Amino acid sequence: MKYWVLENEISNSENTEIVNLFLLSLKMKNRSKQTIIRQRKILQHFFRTKKETYNFITSNDIQQWLTEQQTGRKERTIENYLATLRAFYNYCALEKLIKKSPLQDKEKSVSCPDRYWELKVILPNQENQYVINEFLVSLKNTGRSKRTIICKRHFLQSFFKEYEKSFSIITLEEIQKWFLEKEKKSSKDSTRAVLSALRTFYDYCWEEEILEDPPLRNKRKIRDYPEKDWSIQIRLPNNENQKIINEYLFNLKERNKSQRTIGDYRFILQAYFKDTDTHFSLLKNNDFQQWIQRYKTCTKERTVDNYMSIFRSFYAFCVRKKYIEKSPITYKWEKGNNQKKYWEISDPFINNENRKITNEYLLSMKVANLSPGTICQYRFFLNKFFKDRHESCLNLTPEDVREWLIPHQKRLKEGTIKNRLIVLSSFYKFCIDEDYIITSPIKTRWFPKLPQSVPKFLEKGEIAKVRQMCEKRKELRDRVIVELLLTSGCRISEVHMLNKSDVDINNRTAQVLGKGRKIREVHFSEACAILLERLLESYKDEHPALFLSERGTRLSVRRMQEIVEEIGKRAEIHKSLYPHRLRHTFATELLSKGADLSFIADELGHRNLQTTKIYACLPNWKLISLYRKYKG
């Protein structure tokens, strides 16, 4: 027997016919079998004793029947009865079988606090009303907090009250258009909250088999198929695109990437390529940028950057496989990219002369080969300091600076105050050199005197713990990074920029690019050389970088820092382990073994021996042994 048809005839044949039409409409909307059977039983139970036709039944009749059912039944059961009857009469009203639902007025009265899980407004589309209420009830039944349900209810109301069409035919483009319109009136946090509520709602529709292909999904909840969980799960317009993407995803699987990572990559690639039949090799950087622009209003900037990172990784794979000559996805720092130059301030200033002179100074830092990190720090503070000033920076007096300095001294640390004074002092020194001013408004006496901090190093036992922990890691790359930092004394930025061609395994040397873009030769241990040789042999691609990320691109400085920090935690090292601590350990070890200070300076890339003295401090055990040797 068909499950969407009443099992037994009820007293009124017209009621039987209309109920069967309603149940058939649910089936046509792809509602789950379980939902249809549940509603069929409730309607059969309600109309079984009713002799009058459905269109003559009043709200009082329904309320009286619900009151009779309350004895011996749970509140949840009564709520389901009411929801089913409301859905049935909404259907009758939509089909113009009745003028108005007898439960329509009751919709307005559900705004009492006791029924917080129901919508508080009547939506233009009654089907949306019904399904959203079912969704909210499901949240209540699964133990979600009252506050969460109220928030979801509020955000869904704000979205669906503007749509007369059914939730099942609303497209992603319409959702994106709605967010673009609301962006000017609402904050980013509120639009993201609405997006989150919509994702959760459409997840419910997918899980309950109400919709097969919802316009929005929470990618972390997408069910992976037991077989070929790495492959595209839908048919793409271009078969060649599907083939290459599946090959790329399988490559991720072979490289032991987690199921979640592969799922995330598959989700984004699938989302983009399902809307285009253009061959992947013909797409340009702007095509991806325009697609991502849709998400910038309702997605965090970091998430948007991750999307571009996924596309970049896919095309890097295509280049390695020689499917294309060059990736269309550019980096922020590459030529031809519209991204702003990191050494320029683009924000408008009240006094444009201040912006002009500040940009001249920052450009001089770029020409002097100072690191991008240093330039960005200087740019950030100078932008903040001069942006809202009406007077020219050239007319600033010591009193003006002191007026700024005094309130900041109370809430900022001395080190921060000193750093900011250093920035201003350097800026005004540039102004003097360029003949803009004669004297600097920054006074030397303002600089706070800070105690000289001694850089931390690892004791012998701690070094052994770190190396032992590295041996336990599966990733050979991580072990090589730590060993190279320990035995060469390189800065983390120098290790980051190393290419395969810079390393000479036989002579155990490497050419590194140090501060001021100066190239120097560093040395590393025999154990490090063996590990490096194994690492180079394991590489199958032709990427020039020595250390590669999981996506096949150059490993970032931040990721290297995380690797070292994680190893330090696992090795239970006292205080945090960071790359510069390994550099100081290298210098300290050389000094304790009798190395000349000038040799250590050459290895570390220092021009001034005074800098080397800070980095190279004898450990306590060595000081004690020397004291006993000379003093007894």
Side-chain angles (χ1 to χ4, degrees), residues 303-560:
T303 306
V304 172
D305 289 341
N306 287 341
Y307 292 171
M308 285 304 292
S309 178
I310 290 169
F311 293 135
R312 193 177 290 116
S313 172
F314 167 68
Y315 276 103
F317 167 81
C318 294
V319 171
R320 291 198 301 274
K321 289 289 183 179
K322 298 183 179 178
Y323 297 141
I324 53 176
E325 290 184 6
K326 186 181 177 183
S327 170
I329 311 294
T330 56
Y331 290 88
K332 291 181 180 180
W333 44 265
E334 285 183 318
K335 290 181 180 178
N337 198 309
N338 293 326
Q339 297 287 339
K340 64 182 181 181
K341 298 173 183 177
Y342 68 84
W343 61 89
E344 280 188 3
I345 295 174
S346 58
D347 296 342
F349 276 32
I350 290 177
N351 188 320
N352 199 48
E353 184 187 18
N354 292 347
R355 179 172 171 271
K356 179 186 173 184
I357 296 173
T358 304
N359 277 336
E360 283 182 21
Y361 167 65
L362 294 170
L363 180 61
S364 73
M365 295 177 72
K366 170 78 169 55
V367 172
N369 288 324
L370 293 176
S371 72
T374 301
I375 295 173
C376 287
Q377 287 179 8
Y378 277 52
R379 185 196 69 199
F380 173 79
F381 173 66
L382 290 172
N383 181 24
K384 190 176 179 180
F385 187 81
F386 288 120
K387 185 177 181 179
D388 298 326
R389 289 188 178 273
H390 291 271
E391 68 273 22
S392 169
C393 60
L394 304 178
N395 297 331
L396 213 64
T397 64
E399 287 70 26
D400 295 328
V401 179
R402 284 187 74 252
E403 187 179 341
W404 165 85
L405 182 63
I406 290 171
H408 283 77
Q409 283 177 324
K410 297 176 182 178
R411 61 185 186 85
L412 295 178
K413 294 181 180 178
E414 287 187 332
T416 306
I417 293 294
K418 184 176 181 180
N419 289 336
R420 292 185 176 181
L421 286 172
I422 288 172
V423 174
L424 288 174
S425 179
S426 175
F427 170 75
Y428 279 109
K429 186 178 183 303
F430 165 82
C431 293
I432 292 170
D433 292 340
E434 295 295 318
D435 293 329
Y436 283 126
I437 56 175
I438 299 173
T439 58
S440 170
I442 310 301
K443 304 300 179 183
T444 308
R445 63 178 180 273
W446 293 344
F447 287 75
K449 293 182 180 179
L450 304 176
Q452 185 74 50
S453 60
V454 179
K456 298 176 180 63
F457 57 88
L458 297 178
E459 300 287 351
K460 283 186 175 181
E462 291 177 317
I463 296 172
K465 281 184 180 180
V466 168
R467 284 187 167 133
Q468 188 178 7
M469 186 53 60
C470 288
E471 289 174 6
K472 293 180 181 180
R473 291 178 76 86
K474 294 180 182 179
E475 193 70 56
L476 176 63
R477 176 202 64 190
D478 299 352
R479 188 178 173 189
V480 176
I481 290 171
V482 173
E483 194 64 32
L484 188 61
L485 289 167
L486 267 173
T487 61
S488 70
C490 287
R491 301 177 180 93
I492 191 63
S493 58
E494 295 167 348
V495 174
H496 160 70
M497 290 303 297
L498 268 176
N499 290 327
K500 295 168 187 172
S501 58
D502 297 329
V503 179
D504 185 349
I505 300 292
N506 295 327
N507 293 319
R508 289 169 25 206
T509 60
Q511 301 288 330
V512 299
L513 187 66
K515 281 189 175 181
R517 301 192 67 79
K518 291 184 178 179
I519 297 173
R520 77 175 192 281
E521 188 176 78
V522 297
H523 304 84
F524 47 83
S525 66
E526 187 176 353
C528 184
I530 294 169
L531 292 173
L532 271 168
E533 190 171 14
R534 282 173 54 194
L535 182 67
L536 291 170
E537 288 173 355
S538 69
Y539 285 141
K540 296 177 183 177
D541 51 53
E542 298 177 0
H543 197 288
L546 178 60
F547 297 110
L548 298 175
S549 68
E550 288 77 3
R551 298 189 293 269
T553 57
R554 186 182 294 275
L555 193 66
S556 67
V557 171
R558 182 65 196 125
R559 180 64 189 129
M560 287 183 176

Side-chain angles (χ1 to χ4, degrees), residues 31 46 49 52 56 61 80 115 167 173 176 191 221 228 252 278 292 306 320 322 347 353 356 398 443 522 532 565:
R31 296 293 170 77
F46 175 75
T49 57
E52 61 268 47
F56 289 108
D61 296 331
N80 287 335
R115 304 187 67 83
F167 71 96
E173 287 70 26
Q176 289 162 351
T191 53
K221 281 192 171 183
K228 290 193 175 181
L252 294 179
T278 308
I292 280 177
N306 287 341
R320 291 198 301 274
K322 298 183 179 178
D347 296 342
E353 184 187 18
K356 179 186 173 184
K443 304 300 179 183
V522 297
L532 271 168
E565 186 178 350

Side-chain angles (χ1 to χ4, degrees), residues 230-274:
W230 43 268
S231 63
I232 293 290
Q233 305 296 346
I234 62 173
R235 187 181 294 279
L236 299 182
N238 188 303
N239 292 331
E240 185 71 14
N241 290 350
Q242 184 138 0
K243 178 185 172 184
I244 300 302
I245 292 171
N246 279 338
E247 189 179 340
Y248 165 68
L249 294 171
F250 183 68
N251 175 261
L252 294 179
K253 186 175 186 296
E254 280 192 319
R255 287 162 58 192
N256 296 321
K257 299 302 169 192
S258 69
Q259 196 171 9
R260 177 176 171 181
T261 298
I262 296 172
D264 288 350
Y265 278 48
R266 181 184 64 205
F267 177 83
I268 297 303
L269 291 171
Q270 196 169 271
Y272 178 80
F273 283 98
K274 75 177 183 181

